[in-house]
Amino acid sequence: MIYGVILNDAASLKKIGSLDEAPYKGAPKAPVLYIKPANTQVADGAVVTLPAGASAVEIGATLGLVMGRAASRLSADNALAAVEGVVLAGDLSLPHSSYYRPAIREKCFDGSLPLGALKPLGDIAKLTLVTEIDGQIVAQRAFADLIRPPAQLLADVTEFMTLARGDILLVGVSYMAPQAAAGSQVKISADGLGSLQFTIAQGAQQ
Amino acid sequence: MKHGRIAWQGAIHEVTPAGDGKLRLADGRYVAESEVVWLPPVAVNTVFTLALNYADHAKELAFKAPEYPIVFLKGPNTIIGHKALTRRPADATYMHYECELAVIIGKSGYRVSKERAMEIVAGYSVANDYAIRDYLENYYRPNLRVKNRDGCTPLGPWMVDRDDIADPMKLTLTTRINGKTTQTGTTADMIFDIPALIEYLSSFMTLAPGDVILTGTPEGLADTKAGDVIETEIENIGCLINTIADDATFFAAAR
C-alpha cells in the first residue's frame, strides 16, 4: 500500500495561509495522510490517461520511502533502519483547492502515481527535485524545509498504523504544484536518483 | 453459499458452515469453530468506505446529506477478522462502532453503469468501521488517524454470495454492546445505493477483485469501553463479533 502526506513543508504551509477558519479550524496536529491504492501505481514511461472531464493535472513531485520490513511504533531515532530505499514519485492530483474532504476522485484515478526505480536512501534534506513539462523546468523543490523529516514522519505514522514490507510512504507534495495539460511530457529528476518520465493523455469526454 | 477464511493447523483454509458450530474445509475435513482463528473472508485489495451515506446518520452528526458520495480509503493494516480484539488507546474518550454492509468486488470494472454494476459484485459481508473521534481533524476528514488504525475494522465472518441475497438494499442492520441493542437501521436508507457507488468509483478508477466497499452506517452511535463485546449483525449476512481491549490487555495478548 502507498501512503502520502500533504502540508509537510514550510513553503506549502506558508502558501495555503491561515488555517484557523472553517472548515479547518486550526492547523493540522497529526500528519495529514492519504492513500494511493494499487490502481494508481505505474512505472517509468507510463502514459497516464486523465479521468473523463479532466484536462489538466497537478504534478506532485516527491520522494517515496520504501519499507524494508514491517514497521510499527517506530521511534524517530531508529526509524530509518526500517527503510529499504527511496523512489522518485509523480503524485498526480486533479486540482482541488479544499483539503477538507478526502480527495478520492482527485488523487486515486488509474495511473496517478508513476514511480521510479528503487535507490539507496541518502540525506534527502540535500536533494532538489526538478520537474520539467515538455522540456521546460516548472518547479525545483528542496526537502530541507520538511515539517516532519522522514524519521519523524515514520514515527508519527507508525504510532497508529503498521507499515508492511514494500509499503511506500511519500514524504509530501507541494501545495498547488505545477499543472500539466493533456498531451504533456513530464520528467522528474534528482541528482543520484535518476529520472522518472511519463505522458499525460486526455481522457474520455464526460 | 457462505464462505469464510480461517487459520487452523498451520494453514489458511477456505471454509463453509456445516452446522452445530462446525466448519467444513475444502478437503472435506470438519473443525469446530471454537478451534479456529477467523481471518477476513477475503484478502482485501482496495477498501473504500462511505461517510454520511445514511440520511439519519448525516442528521445525527449535524450534516446535510451530501450531493456526491464522500469516500475515504483504508489500508490492509486496519482489517481484521471475526472474534478478534480491537485496541482502545488509553487517551481515547469516544470510540464508537459503525455497522456497515460490505460489498465485495469479484470482477474488474472500469466505467461500469448502474445497470451493470451488480455484475461485478461477488458478495457481501459485515464490517465494523470503528472511529476514535478524539483524533478527528478537518483535513481529508475523516482522517486516517481516526479510521485507519491497526485492527480497527473487523470484517466477516462470512462472505455471502451475491445471488443468495435477493435485495441487498433491504437488510436490517443491528449493533449490540454486551447483548444490548444500541443501533438499528436498514440498508434501504442509504443515500447512494450499491449500483450508484460502483458507477461513481469506477468512473475514475478500475475496481478489482478483492476490492471492498463499506457502504456507511445508520444512526445509533455509542461509546465502547474496554472489555465490551460488540456484535454487528446484518440480516442474512452474518453476525460479526469483536472485543474492545485496553492497552494493557491488547499488548499483553500480543506477547
Side-chain angles (χ1 to χ4, degrees):
Chain A
M1 189 55 72
I2 300 170
Y3 302 90
V5 59
I6 57 165
L7 301 177
N8 193 35
D9 61 286
S12 292
L13 275 176
K14 188 175 173 203
K15 201 167 178 181
I16 199 171
S18 171
L19 298 169
D20 293 338
E21 292 78 37
Y24 305 117
K25 299 178 184 171
K29 298 186 192 89
V32 182
L33 297 169
Y34 56 92
I35 292 177
K36 298 289 278 198
N39 66 301
T40 66
Q41 193 174 335
V42 289
D44 185 44
V47 175
V48 179
T49 301
L50 298 180
S55 55
V57 66
E58 275 186 18
I59 309 297
T62 189
L63 298 170
L65 306 170
V66 181
M67 304 309 296
R69 60 172 170 82
S72 188
R73 306 168 88 211
L74 296 175
S75 75
D77 307 341
N78 63 6
L80 296 183
V83 176
E84 184 178 12
V86 65
V87 290
L88 291 174
D91 179 5
L92 309 185
S93 307
L94 303 183
H96 57 294
S97 57
S98 174
Y99 289 148
Y100 177 54
R101 286 299 186 189
I104 304 305
R105 178 174 182 273
E106 292 80 2
K107 292 191 85 71
C108 301
F109 59 89
D110 285 359
S112 59
L113 188 65
L115 290 174
L118 182 68
K119 303 285 182 179
L121 176 67
D123 181 2
I124 73 165
K126 292 180 179 151
L127 283 177
T128 299
L129 278 194
V130 178
T131 304
E132 295 167 64
I133 298 177
D134 295 329
Q136 300 290 314
I137 293 177
V138 294
Q140 297 198 61
R141 195 202 157 179
F143 287 88
D145 70 337
L146 292 184
I147 308 298
R148 289 181 176 87
Q152 189 62 48
L153 183 63
L154 285 164
D156 289 351
V157 168
T158 63
E159 185 272 323
F160 66 91
M161 49 185 263
T162 299
L163 297 174
R165 179 154 44 102
D167 279 358
I168 297 177
L169 180 61
L170 307 173
V171 300
V173 291
S174 294
Y175 178 64
M176 301 205 15
Q179 293 183 21
S184 303
Q185 307 280 333
V186 182
K187 180 180 176 187
I188 296 168
S189 58
D191 283 346
L193 297 183
S195 70
L196 169 66
Q197 301 189 60
F198 49 93
T199 303
I200 307 298
Q202 182 76 53
Q205 296 303 306
Q206 189 92 44
Chain B
M1 182 79 86
K2 289 183 171 180
H3 311 267
R5 251 181 0 128
I6 59 155
W8 184 63
Q9 290 285 322
I12 291 173
H13 300 274
E14 295 190 6
V15 295
T16 53
D20 274 345
K22 286 194 160 51
L23 303 170
R24 186 181 192 279
L25 277 56
D27 63 10
R29 286 183 290 174
Y30 291 86
V31 57
E33 282 188 35
S34 56
E35 288 182 33
V36 309
V37 172
W38 289 87
L39 304 174
V42 291
V44 301
N45 188 46
T46 301
V47 180
F48 305 88
T49 314
L50 270 292
L52 306 176
N53 197 34
Y54 282 75
D56 56 357
H57 180 56
K59 196 173 152 195
E60 177 181 42
L61 295 176
F63 282 96
K64 277 192 302 191
E67 290 163 25
Y68 58 90
I70 300 174
V71 182
F72 56 98
L73 299 182
K74 287 174 178 279
N77 63 297
T78 194
I79 306 293
I80 55 172
H82 178 52
K83 291 192 173 173
L85 291 179
T86 292
R87 177 187 166 210
R88 178 182 169 114
D91 65 349
T93 63
Y94 188 26
M95 173 174 175
H96 63 74
Y97 53 76
E98 296 188 1
C99 178
E100 308 198 5
L101 177 67
V103 178
I104 297 166
I105 301 296
K107 290 181 187 165
S108 280
Y110 185 59
R111 304 191 81 190
V112 181
S113 68
K114 282 182 197 173
E115 291 70 29
R116 306 201 63 169
M118 297 308 289
E119 293 175 21
I120 69 166
V121 172
Y124 308 98
S125 190
V126 181
N128 181 353
D129 176 24
Y130 283 112
I132 302 181
R133 298 192 78 84
D134 302 74
Y135 308 138
L136 194 63
E137 295 191 67
N138 292 319
Y139 296 87
Y140 289 156
R141 171 179 170 153
N143 43 314
L144 272 68
R145 195 162 170 241
V146 176
K147 285 289 192 178
N148 195 49
R149 308 180 65 82
D150 284 351
C152 263
T153 313
L155 181 69
W158 309 107
M159 182 186 84
V160 179
D161 289 333
R162 175 197 61 197
D163 293 345
D164 291 350
I165 302 298
D167 186 357
M169 304 316 304
K170 213 163 82 182
L171 301 173
T172 300
L173 306 92
T174 308
T175 302
R176 291 178 292 272
I177 300 180
N178 303 324
K180 185 179 171 228
T181 299
T182 50
Q183 181 183 39
T184 55
T186 164
T187 57
D189 290 341
M190 279 189 208
I191 297 168
F192 298 98
D193 65 12
I194 296 167
L197 293 172
I198 288 173
E199 181 178 85
Y200 173 72
L201 293 169
S202 75
S203 73
F204 55 87
M205 59 190 287
T206 303
L207 297 178
D211 285 359
V212 180
I213 305 171
L214 311 185
T215 53
T217 200
E219 69 178 344
L221 305 182
D223 190 27
T224 57
K225 300 291 188 196
D228 284 350
V229 175
I230 312 301
E231 297 171 272
T232 43
E233 181 164 15
I234 301 179
E235 181 184 5
N236 295 331
I237 310 292
C239 180
L240 171 66
I241 300 174
N242 175 267
T243 301
I244 305 290
D246 61 18
D247 284 351
T249 307
F250 183 82
F251 288 109
R255 263 200 291 277

